[in-house]
Amino acid sequence: DSGVTQTPKHLITATGQRVTLRCSPRSGDLSVYWYQQSLDQGLQFLIHYYNGEERAKGNILERFSAQQFPDLHSELNLSSLELGDSALYFCASSVWTGYNTDTQYFGPGTRLTVL
Amino acid sequence: TQLLEQSPQFLSIQEGENLTVYCNSSSVFSSLQWYRQEPGEGPVLLVTVVTGGEVKKLKRLTFQFGDARKDSSLHITAAQTGDTGLYLCAGEGPRDRGSTLGRLYFGRGTQLTVWP
């Protein structure tokens, strides 16, 4: 158990819909990262938040957005869903200082299926 | 195009055999991390290598970071069925990408199956 929790575990929805994925980081970690894992692309970095502020953006579509709340939990919002958005979505957390090598702890993931 | 290329993509061996998995890039990384992922679960960190030429051992697993910090290898001695899983390498903060520390670039992974 990494200490990172993600809900829900599974999500099945239809094209055009909007969903919200939730992540609670390990106690004491200020950084939250979101990743997407698909068969054809592998694990892709989406976005990084540190203490409520966006720090880095990766291959995140404009239809996707994220935020980190004062209690440090984070939500990833996916809208106008397409079939190709079906994937595993992982959240990871770390202490991240920006100066030293970071160790990220991954949650169990949310499996999104878009029908 | 993947920033990190892992090879082989699939590896199927008998228990007791040795194996090596490679992770290569043209970019220089601040660190290189190896993860193992089981089906339906998140990746679990095995090791982080930071210094060029660094070698780290974790029981039967030996990790090496290339001198130029562009590549890494994972060697498993006397593989066991419990070693079965997806092995992922991830590079942190490639300098030529102006990337911040913390951002990880993952390879596609090596799916290892060890048969009894």
Side-chain angles (χ1 to χ4, degrees):
Chain A
D1 185 354
S2 66
V4 178
T5 59
Q6 287 187 250
T7 55
K9 180 83 172 163
H10 301 278
L11 199 46
I12 301 175
T13 188
T15 54
Q17 294 298 305
R18 173 190 171 93
V19 296
T20 297
L21 312 184
R22 184 188 168 103
C23 168
S24 292
R26 292 187 324 151
S27 176
D29 285 354
L30 299 179
S31 266
V32 168
Y33 304 82
W34 285 97
Y35 293 87
Q36 179 192 59
Q37 188 175 36
S38 61
L39 283 174
D40 57 339
Q41 293 290 327
L43 253 173
Q44 298 283 319
F45 167 79
L46 294 178
I47 199 162
H48 169 203
Y49 274 86
Y50 175 76
N51 203 20
E53 289 189 13
E54 182 186 302
R55 296 298 303 185
K57 248 182 182 177
N59 304 320
I60 188 165
L61 299 171
E62 283 191 15
R63 300 183 285 109
F64 296 2
S65 65
Q67 57 185 129
Q68 187 179 25
F69 295 87
D71 67 352
L72 301 176
H73 92 271
S74 178
E75 292 181 356
L76 179 66
N77 300 294
L78 315 177
S79 61
S80 302
L81 285 167
E82 302 174 359
L83 295 177
D85 297 327
S86 295
L88 270 167
Y89 290 84
F90 288 103
C91 164
S93 77
S94 74
V95 294
W96 192 77
T97 63
Y99 302 103
N100 298 311
T101 298
D102 198 38
T103 296
Q104 296 181 23
Y105 297 87
F106 282 77
T110 293
R111 181 174 291 281
L112 173 66
T113 303
V114 182
L115 301 175
Chain B
T1 307
Q2 290 288 121
L3 191 61
L4 278 166
E5 297 291 339
Q6 278 190 249
S7 61
Q9 189 177 353
F10 298 96
L11 196 49
S12 183
I13 61 172
Q14 293 288 132
E15 209 168 22
E17 292 183 18
N18 300 332
L19 66 112
T20 302
V21 174
Y22 299 93
C23 178
N24 297 297
S25 177
S26 58
S27 292
V28 177
F29 294 99
S30 301
S31 75
L32 204 298
Q33 303 176 14
W34 284 92
Y35 291 79
R36 183 174 145 196
Q37 185 178 17
E38 303 280 356
E41 297 179 12
V44 175
L45 181 67
L46 296 173
V47 80
T48 300
V49 284
V50 178
T51 307
E54 182 176 4
V55 176
K56 278 193 175 177
K57 292 195 174 185
L58 190 66
K59 296 183 181 177
R60 295 174 294 101
L61 277 60
T62 302
F63 304 85
Q64 184 158 10
F65 201 10
D67 290 341
R69 303 211 312 278
K70 294 181 179 181
D71 52 77
S72 181
S73 64
L74 157 60
H75 182 79
I76 300 180
T77 304
Q80 300 176 356
T81 55
D83 295 328
T84 293
L86 180 67
Y87 289 82
L88 296 159
C89 67
E92 180 187 14
R95 305 294 174 82
D96 58 355
R97 294 293 177 110
S99 180
T100 57
L101 284 176
R103 176 172 179 172
L104 294 178
Y105 291 81
F106 280 86
R108 291 276 181 91
T110 294
Q111 181 61 53
L112 171 66
T113 304
V114 182
W115 301 98

